[in-house]
């Protein structure tokens, strides 16, 4: 299908070939690539298409496509963005997950691409409105919501817009004010400061002043006085008035509908995977979210019609604007979708798959191989596979610029998410004199230049060892057991040390969150054995805690160990080991869940609720073997699991 759709839209040529974010704006009903300098700014009169390319298993790419609709965009432009999203997916091979994003109701996944937040702008190119940045500076008032991903919304510059429950940012020409409502959340206050720093660097060249004004505190401070003068003098503010934006759709029991000739009909049967036919499209209505499921053998026009049918379905039922629409292609369903079905076999294969099994078996038999094929998954071995033996030599290099720099012995095992590394483990194996474990590790926030350099230098290292090692590529969060077991422990930290990462965040105007020995940092210890246990830096807020894990809290010179009531003894042992690596000689202050002091909660911004849920590891999938054929001008493949 991909070869036939590439001619649909020239603007999408080359899309999805590199990790990261790509954005197009709809102009005159055509997608136009957006300059990277404009990323994060979204005009209310326009519609956009955002492609996020992420690393998948085995070096593959995963695609999420979002079409963002401004509150003032026209119906025609909104329809164009939805249709062009289908075309982009077709060019990518028809396997992307698609999301509809409405201004002010964006998903957390979408917001996570833009740090610290997206900037809502009035007007728009496609709508013909004049850009506000072409006009003289206008004092703007924003309400800032979100503890992790910030939602910034422009509100009328009026005292009536203020309330006691939210955090507001007043962007004036000479000074940026943060107004903290008396009942506002401490995490939202912290996030608002990040937004203010971004606005200062982006729109004030870093030269304006910043002031904090607390609701209800009327001390004789010049900042507080100046703030209220802008509103015509101090006067009491009212209570928060709920608006349409505050309506949160409720989750309901899932209902399945089939789409036939643009007609939506309920499927009156117990939800089972067997109901989904590969030549049809369906709507799964879960109340707060609506899924559109697309069969693999449907045509592009049918897929476009399915999205439009879902839009009309919501409109006819007067659903809240925040109701999400997610489109899925058969074979690439998300866990959120599959969890609604009573029957969804994890190893189910189609009849075409069985045919593929037979052909592969015949190939193996012709070449003298075994034809015994099992449908069962491989059981997970709790012990480390006997690949690495003790007493080996471990060398680690960090990529910076065009070179690799040796990581000091005391820092081996610490990995920054903004960096890339090369790891070489030399050991003796059986009768061989020496054997090698060679790989390069790619941080989830690393820049493309470092990733390319890591691959090139790792290949050079492999050549210098006469190609004896098998060269592997490892993505953060997908480390195999052998890799984790080498370090004992492996510690994943925020930020990065490479020059490429530092330049990237500087260009984006982002705050450098790189871990240091003086940071306020929360480290999560999880896992059940040495080759599955990792120490991972998480957001330093109380909501990051989990009763099933142990944590390290670093605050200046102090270091707390927090033991969840459902954590294991092995995790407690690893806490002490990680603490010694991060701050040698530190005296740990041991804290058990439920006995925390105020000095523990203070660095986390105060006590908040957190989950008590065991996070299950990824389930290993059987290997896939594919055979390809080209017959009569048609390219196809058969496979078995």
């Amino acid at each position: 299908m991909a070869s036939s759709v590439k001619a649909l839209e020239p603007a999408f040529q080359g899309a999805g070939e590199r990790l990261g974010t790509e954005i197009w704006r709809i102009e005159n009903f055509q997608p136009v690539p957006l300059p990277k300098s404009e990323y994060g700014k979204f005009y209310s009169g326009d519609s956009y298409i955002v492609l996020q390319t992420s690393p998948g298993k085995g070096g593959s790419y995963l695609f999420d496509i979002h079409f963002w609709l401004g509150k003032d965009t026209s119906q025609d432009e909104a329809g164009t963005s939805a249709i062009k999203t289908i075309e982009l997916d077709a060019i990518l091979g028809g396997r992307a997950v698609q999301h509809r994003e409405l201004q002010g109701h964006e998903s957390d996944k979408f917001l996570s691409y833009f740090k610290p937040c997206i900037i809502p702008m009035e007007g728009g190119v496609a709508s013909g409105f004049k850009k506000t940045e072409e006009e003289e500076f206008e004092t703007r008032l924003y309400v800032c919501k979100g503890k992790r991903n910030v939602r910034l919304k422009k509100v009328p510059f009026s005292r009536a817009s203020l309330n006691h429950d939210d955090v507001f940012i007043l962007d004036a020409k000479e000074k940026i004010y943060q107004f903290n409502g008396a009942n506002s959340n401490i995490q939202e206050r912290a996030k608002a400061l990040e937004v203010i720093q971004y606005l200062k660097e982006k729109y004030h060249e870093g030269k304006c002043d910043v002031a904090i004004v607390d609701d209800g505190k009327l001390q004789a401070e010049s900042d507080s006085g100046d703030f209220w003068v802008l509103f015509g003098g101090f006067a009491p503010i009212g209570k928060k008035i709920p608006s349409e934006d505050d309506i949160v759709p409720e989750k309901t029991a899932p209902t399945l509908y089939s789409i036939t000739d643009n007609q939506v009909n309920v499927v009156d049967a117990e939800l089972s995977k067997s109901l989904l036919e590969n030549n049809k499209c369906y709507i799964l209505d879960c109340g707060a979210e609506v899924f559109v499921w697309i069969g693999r053998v449907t045509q592009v026009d049918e897929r476009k019609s399915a999205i439009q049918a879902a839009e009309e379905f919501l409109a006819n039922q007067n659903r809240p604007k925040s109701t999400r629409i997610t489109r899925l292609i058969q074979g690439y369903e998300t866990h959120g979708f599959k969890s609604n079905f009573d029957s969804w076999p994890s190893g189910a294969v189609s009849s075409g798959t069985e045919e593929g099994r037979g052909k592969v078996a015949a190939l193996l038999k012709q070449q003298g191989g075994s034809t015994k094929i099992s449908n069962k998954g491989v059981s997970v071995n709790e012990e480390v596979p006997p690949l690495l033996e003790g007493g080996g030599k471990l060398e680690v290099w960090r990529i910076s610029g065009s070179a690799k720099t040796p990581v000091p012995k005391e820092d081996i095992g610490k990995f920054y998410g903004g960096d890339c590394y090369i790891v070489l483990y030399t050991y003796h194996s059986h009768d061989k004199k020496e054997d090698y474990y060679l790989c390069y590790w790619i941080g989830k926030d690393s820049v493309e230049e470092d990733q390319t350099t890591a691959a090139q230098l790792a290949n050079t290292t492999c050549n210098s060892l006469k190609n004896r090692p098998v060269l592997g590529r490892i993505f953060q969060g997908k480390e195999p057991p052998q890799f984790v077991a080498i370090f004992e422990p492996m510690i994943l930290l925020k930020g990065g040390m490479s020059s490429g990462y530092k330049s990237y965040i500087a260009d984006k105007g982002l705050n450098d969150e790189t871990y240091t020995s003086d940071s306020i940092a929360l480290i999560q210890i999880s896992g059940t054995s040495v080759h599955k246990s990792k120490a991972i830096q998480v957001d330093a807020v109380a909501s990051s805690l989990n009763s099933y894990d142990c944590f390290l809290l670093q605050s200046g010179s102090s270091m707390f160990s927090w033991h969840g009531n459902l954590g294991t003894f092995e995790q407690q042992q690893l806490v002490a080991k990680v603490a010694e690596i991060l701050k040698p000689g530190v005296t740990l202050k041991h804290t058990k869940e439920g006995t925390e002091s105020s000095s523990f909660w203070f660095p986390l911004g105060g006590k908040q609720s957190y989950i008590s849920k065991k996070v299950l590891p990824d389930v290993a999938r059987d290997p896939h073997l594919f055979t390809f054929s080209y017959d009569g001008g048609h390219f196809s493949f058969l496979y078995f699991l």
Side-chain angles (χ1 to χ4, degrees), residues 386-547:
L387 170 65
L388 307 177
E389 306 209 357
K393 178 184 178 184
L394 179 60
E395 298 172 272
V396 182
W397 296 269
R398 179 188 294 113
I399 302 302
S400 187
S402 60
K404 60 179 184 179
T405 303
V407 174
K409 184 177 180 180
E410 63 270 20
D411 288 333
I412 288 180
K414 293 193 290 189
F415 292 79
Y416 290 86
D419 292 340
C420 295
Y421 298 80
I422 295 174
V423 176
L424 175 63
Y425 187 73
T426 306
Y427 65 106
H428 294 276
S429 177
H430 304 294
D431 296 332
K432 293 182 180 180
K433 183 178 180 181
E434 283 184 331
D435 211 338
Y436 305 96
Y437 183 77
L438 175 64
C439 57
Y440 59 101
W441 183 90
I442 296 177
K444 63 181 180 64
D445 297 321
S446 59
V447 298
E448 183 180 358
E449 292 77 5
D450 285 351
Q451 296 175 15
T452 302
T453 301
Q456 294 171 342
L457 295 182
N459 188 63
T460 300
T461 302
C462 187
N463 293 337
S464 69
L465 298 171
K466 300 180 181 179
N467 289 313
R468 287 179 60 191
V470 176
L471 178 59
R473 176 177 61 178
I474 297 175
F475 288 102
Q476 180 177 349
K478 302 295 182 181
E479 295 84 2
Q482 296 93 339
F483 184 86
V484 177
I486 291 176
F487 300 97
E488 298 186 18
M490 180 181 182
I491 307 172
L492 303 177
L493 301 172
K494 291 188 175 185
M497 307 292 286
S498 78
S499 57
Y501 174 79
K502 297 293 187 184
S503 297
Y504 172 79
I505 62 173
D507 292 343
K508 288 284 187 179
L510 304 177
N511 292 331
D512 190 348
E513 296 182 335
T514 301
Y515 170 86
T516 67
S517 59
D518 296 321
S519 302
I520 293 179
L522 186 62
I523 312 293
Q524 181 179 22
I525 312 295
S526 59
T528 57
S529 59
V530 67
H531 62 287
K532 291 184 178 179
S533 294
K534 288 183 286 190
I536 305 173
Q537 185 179 359
V538 295
D539 291 340
V541 292
S543 57
S544 295
L545 299 174
N546 189 331
S547 298

Side-chain angles (χ1 to χ4, degrees), residues 72-88:
D72 299 318
T73 192
S74 68
Q75 191 63 41
D76 289 339
E77 286 172 356
T80 299
S81 65
I83 290 173
K84 291 300 180 181
T85 295
I86 300 290
E87 295 181 9
L88 173 58

Side-chain angles (χ1 to χ4, degrees), residues 234-250:
F234 174 78
I237 58 177
K239 294 182 179 181
K240 182 177 181 179
I241 301 175
S243 65
E244 183 182 4
D245 291 343
D246 297 313
I247 300 176
V248 178
E250 296 182 0

Side-chain angles (χ1 to χ4, degrees), residues 178-209:
Q178 175 174 325
F179 177 80
N180 298 324
N183 303 325
S184 61
N185 183 279
I186 192 169
Q187 279 80 27
E188 290 184 335
R189 297 182 185 186
K191 285 294 182 181
L193 280 175
E194 295 180 16
V195 175
I196 287 176
Q197 186 61 33
Y198 176 76
L199 294 174
K200 177 180 177 180
E201 298 297 330
K202 186 77 173 177
Y203 300 107
H204 297 266
E205 300 179 348
K207 297 179 181 179
C208 70
D209 294 328

Side-chain angles (χ1 to χ4, degrees), residues 86-103:
I86 300 290
E87 295 181 9
L88 173 58
D89 177 39
I91 291 174
L92 297 172
R95 53 197 174 96
V97 178
Q98 297 178 24
H99 315 262
R100 183 188 68 160
E101 307 284 352
L102 299 183
Q103 182 177 354

Side-chain angles (χ1 to χ4, degrees), residues 84-311:
K84 291 300 180 181
T85 295
I86 300 290
E87 295 181 9
L88 173 58
D89 177 39
I91 291 174
L92 297 172
R95 53 197 174 96
V97 178
Q98 297 178 24
H99 315 262
R100 183 188 68 160
E101 307 284 352
L102 299 183
Q103 182 177 354
H105 303 283
E106 295 86 358
S107 64
D108 285 338
K109 187 179 188 71
F110 179 82
L111 294 174
S112 69
Y113 307 150
F114 307 96
K115 297 299 182 183
C117 64
I118 66 173
I119 305 296
M121 309 289 286
E122 296 294 332
V125 174
S127 63
F129 296 156
K130 185 178 181 181
K131 290 186 182 180
T132 53
E133 63 186 13
E134 294 174 356
E135 303 170 352
E136 299 222 357
F137 185 89
E138 173 191 0
T139 299
R140 301 182 183 91
L141 182 64
Y142 300 96
V143 60
C144 189
K145 298 183 180 182
K147 301 176 185 178
R148 293 182 181 273
N149 297 305
V150 177
R151 288 177 172 82
L152 196 67
K153 178 184 177 182
K154 185 182 177 186
V155 293
F157 177 31
S158 165
R159 181 186 289 103
S161 297
L162 301 175
N163 62 62
H164 302 293
D165 299 314
D166 293 320
V167 179
F168 295 83
I169 295 174
L170 180 64
D171 187 2
K173 190 170 185 179
E174 303 297 335
K175 187 180 292 188
I176 303 178
Y177 298 87
Q178 175 174 325
F179 177 80
N180 298 324
N183 303 325
S184 61
N185 183 279
I186 192 169
Q187 279 80 27
E188 290 184 335
R189 297 182 185 186
K191 285 294 182 181
L193 280 175
E194 295 180 16
V195 175
I196 287 176
Q197 186 61 33
Y198 176 76
L199 294 174
K200 177 180 177 180
E201 298 297 330
K202 186 77 173 177
Y203 300 107
H204 297 266
E205 300 179 348
K207 297 179 181 179
C208 70
D209 294 328
V210 174
I212 307 296
V213 178
D214 289 320
D215 180 18
K217 296 183 179 180
L218 299 177
Q219 294 126 345
E221 296 180 0
S222 59
D223 288 335
S224 179
D226 293 343
F227 174 80
W228 290 112
V229 164
L230 293 172
F231 288 92
F234 174 78
I237 58 177
K239 294 182 179 181
K240 182 177 181 179
I241 301 175
S243 65
E244 183 182 4
D245 291 343
D246 297 313
I247 300 176
V248 178
E250 296 182 0
K251 185 175 182 179
T252 60
T255 304
L256 185 66
Y257 300 84
S258 64
I259 304 174
T260 305
D261 296 328
N262 291 332
Q263 297 298 314
V264 177
N265 302 300
V266 67
V267 179
D268 189 12
E270 182 179 350
L271 288 184
S272 169
K273 181 181 179 182
S274 60
L275 295 173
L276 304 175
E277 300 179 35
N278 63 2
N279 62 341
K280 292 184 178 180
C281 300
Y282 297 84
I283 291 175
L284 182 66
D285 182 11
C286 300
E289 183 170 17
V290 170
F291 297 93
V292 181
W293 185 90
I294 307 294
R296 289 293 296 179
V297 298
T298 54
Q299 302 300 313
V300 172
D301 288 342
E302 294 177 276
R303 300 179 182 190
K304 293 177 181 178
S305 298
I307 289 292
Q308 293 172 337
E311 296 270 6

